[in-house]
């Protein structure tokens, strides 16, 4: 064999065995902790950062949804609920054939009578596959401390994941495990979709009563629109409080979605809706503001009191919106209740809180308006 042919063969072999450079944002293996058998390396999820968190510094607990300074300013129930990790997720990529998670919770109340532990306290894993996000695994909590989940036999290559945190429990700690010798790295959004959408609302916004964290409507919309969503749903306490407005108006977001009507009365909507919108508009002259009507209570086709309960609130909400538009406030969008839950009364667990079908329908009803607001 001549020297030239030998050099060519060696060059090909060298290319075949070349080691790919680790992706940008790859974690230093020295920051990982090997399992006792050395098969898995565990990393603190905070090394990757959290999506869906309006404040990443000044927190009392790293998985809180409001900054520490909010304690004693926002209503006490809002502060307590802000310690539940609804909407937070870890966005990462790895070439590992297995993806594991180990998490501990802040409360031993793992489930509710009308919402399973998988939604209240579980994890939810999605992978980007053929250009869209697909569910692939979930974590089922069995106790407060050291729950584990694992996805095995993933295809070869680098894959992008979203791991959603519990909706109605607080996260105490979270670690992600990958096979030894494999890469774990931060993942990023397209530059034009890095800025998050903020959704402020009730238990419905928080995710009650989804079977899994990824089925709350802000999470569904986040995957469809391929951008982070900040979930500021506060069960029973999404009331357009001026004290909460003081904090959210400081955030630079792509849009504000206001979905507070289920926790309010017609009188409180009349009192607070217009000042809220004007305050947000003064702080952010060009940021879209989307106002969402109260969901139709599912017994309303049959029970007059149920029908009156939501239509009265929607009437005054629409009147407030119309006055704002007439007064020249720009960048406002409105989502009526008509299609939020469909028309067959099969979309809730209790007449008010959506099941997974209901959340899909809510996302369907809201998606086009949000795309218009965001220019997508």
């Amino acid at each position: 064999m001549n020297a030239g042919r030998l050099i060519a063969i060696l060059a090909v072999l060298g290319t075949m065995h070349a080691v790919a450079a680790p992706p940008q944002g790859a974690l230093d293996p020295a920051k990982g902790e090997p399992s006792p058998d050395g098969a898995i390396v565990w990393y603190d999820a905070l090394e990757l950062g959290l999506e869906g968190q309006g404040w990443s510094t000044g927190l009392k607990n790293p998985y809180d949804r409001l900054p520490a300074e909010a304690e004693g300013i926002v209503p006490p129930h809002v502060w307590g609920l802000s310690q539940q990790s609804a909407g937070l997720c870890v966005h990462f990529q790895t070439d590992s054939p297995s993806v594991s998670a180990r998490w501990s919770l802040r409360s031993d109340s793992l489930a509710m009578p009308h919402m399973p532990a998988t939604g209240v306290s579980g994890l939810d894993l999605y992978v980007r596959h053929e250009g869209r996000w697909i569910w692939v695994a979930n974590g089922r909590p069995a106790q407060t401390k050291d729950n584990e989940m694992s996805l095995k036999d993933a295809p070869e290559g680098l894959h992008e994941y979203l791991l959603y945190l519990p909706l109605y429990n607080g996260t105490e700690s979270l670690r992600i495990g990958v096979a030894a010798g494999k890469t774990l790295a931060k993942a990023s959004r397209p530059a034009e979709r890095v800025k998050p959408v903020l959704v402020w609302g009730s238990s419905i916004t928080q995710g009650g009563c989804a079977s899994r964290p990824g089925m709350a409507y802000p999470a569904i919309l986040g995957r469809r629109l391929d951008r982070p969503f900040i979930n500021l749903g506060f069960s029973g306490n999404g009331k357009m409080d001026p004290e909460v407005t003081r904090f959210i108006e400081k955030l630079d977001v792509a849009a504000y979605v206001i979905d507070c009507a289920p926790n309010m009365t017609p009188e409180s909507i009349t009192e607070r809706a217009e000042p809220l919108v004007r305050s947000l508009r003064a702080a952010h002259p060009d940021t879209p503001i989307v106002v969402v009507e109260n969901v139709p209570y599912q017994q309303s086709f049959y029970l007059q009191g149920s029908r009156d309960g939501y239509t009265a609130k929607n009437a005054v909400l629409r009147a407030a919106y119309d006055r704002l538009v007439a007064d020249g406030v720009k960048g406002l969008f409105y989502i009526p209740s008509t299609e939020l839950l469909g028309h067959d009364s099969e979309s809730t667990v209790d007449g008010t809180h959506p099941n997974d079908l209901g959340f899909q329908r809510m996302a369907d009803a809201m998606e086009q308006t949000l795309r218009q607001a965001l220019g997508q």
Side-chain angles (χ1 to χ4, degrees):
M1 182 183 298
N2 63 46
R5 181 171 176 77
L6 178 60
I7 291 171
I9 292 173
L10 290 174
V12 171
L13 290 173
T15 300
M16 290 173 60
H17 291 87
V19 177
Q24 187 176 7
L27 299 188
D28 183 348
K31 292 185 176 181
E33 179 184 345
S35 61
D37 63 2
I40 296 175
V41 180
W42 292 96
Y43 296 87
D44 189 331
L46 296 175
E47 296 288 342
L48 294 164
L50 299 175
E51 275 196 359
Q53 193 170 45
W55 297 264
S56 57
T57 60
L59 299 167
K60 191 169 184 177
N61 178 285
Y63 294 95
D64 284 352
R65 293 185 290 151
L66 289 176
E69 64 178 307
E71 185 176 13
I73 297 176
V74 301
H77 287 303
V78 170
W79 171 251
L81 291 161
S82 76
Q83 296 171 71
Q84 298 173 347
S85 51
L88 304 187
C89 61
V90 185
H91 186 193
F92 64 94
Q93 52 187 333
T94 182
D95 58 353
S96 176
S98 65
V99 178
S100 301
R102 180 180 293 161
W103 78 107
S104 292
L105 301 159
R106 299 180 70 177
S107 170
D108 59 5
S109 297
L110 301 183
M112 294 189 286
H114 60 340
M115 185 173 176
T118 46
V120 172
S121 304
L123 302 182
D124 217 4
L125 186 67
Y126 282 72
V127 65
R128 195 191 292 274
H129 180 69
E130 297 181 351
R132 64 192 186 103
W133 289 105
I134 303 292
W135 176 88
V136 70
N138 72 342
R140 305 170 188 179
Q143 61 269 329
T144 306
K145 304 295 183 183
D146 295 327
N147 294 285
E148 285 198 23
M149 64 162 282
S150 183
L151 169 71
K152 300 182 184 299
D153 301 321
E156 291 186 6
L158 192 67
H159 301 283
E160 184 181 359
Y161 295 93
L162 280 173
L163 180 66
Y164 292 96
L165 276 59
L167 291 169
Y168 270 78
N169 206 327
T171 301
E172 184 67 35
S173 64
L174 173 64
R175 292 197 291 169
I176 296 174
V178 296
K182 297 299 182 179
T183 297
L184 179 63
K186 298 178 182 180
S188 60
R189 301 283 186 180
E192 69 277 10
R193 297 188 186 177
V194 171
K195 191 178 288 189
V197 172
L198 184 148
V199 189
W200 182 13
S202 66
S203 55
I204 296 172
T205 301
Q206 186 169 342
C209 292
S211 68
R212 301 183 278 106
M215 288 306 298
Y217 83 76
I220 296 172
L221 288 167
R223 293 191 299 276
R224 291 185 184 181
L225 301 178
D226 197 20
R227 77 165 65 232
F229 269 60
I230 298 171
N231 185 329
L232 291 186
F234 301 116
S235 185
N237 287 273
K239 298 181 179 181
M240 302 187 190
D241 296 296
E243 298 86 353
V244 179
T245 304
R246 286 173 48 188
F247 286 93
I248 70 170
E249 68 185 12
K250 297 176 183 178
L251 298 177
D252 182 21
V253 298
Y256 288 102
V257 179
I258 309 301
D259 188 13
C260 293
N263 287 159
M264 302 180 73
T265 64
E267 294 76 18
S268 63
I269 291 172
T270 300
E271 175 189 344
R272 294 183 173 184
E274 289 180 72
L276 165 60
V277 170
R278 292 184 187 281
S279 182
L280 294 178
R281 179 54 69 239
H284 301 279
D286 301 316
T287 301
I289 300 171
V290 182
V291 179
V292 185
E293 285 191 346
N294 199 115
V295 295
Y297 300 138
Q298 297 295 276
Q299 301 100 323
S300 62
F301 76 96
Y302 190 62
L303 301 177
Q304 182 67 42
S306 178
R307 183 159 60 252
D308 292 345
Y310 82 90
T311 57
K313 291 191 280 187
N314 288 343
V316 297
L317 186 66
R318 182 72 201 210
Y321 171 83
D322 288 342
R323 287 192 297 270
L324 288 162
V325 172
D327 201 31
V329 178
K330 304 296 185 184
L332 299 186
F333 298 83
Y334 195 84
I335 297 177
S337 66
T338 316
E339 301 300 326
L340 285 177
L341 292 178
H343 303 279
D344 55 12
S345 297
E346 301 289 0
S347 293
T348 70
V349 299
D350 57 4
T352 301
H353 295 92
N355 55 28
D356 291 351
L357 172 63
F359 280 124
Q360 289 280 7
R361 287 175 172 174
M362 288 190 72
D364 290 344
M366 299 170 75
E367 182 177 352
Q368 286 308 117
T369 299
L370 278 171
R371 287 190 181 277
Q372 180 185 359
L374 296 165
Q376 290 186 209

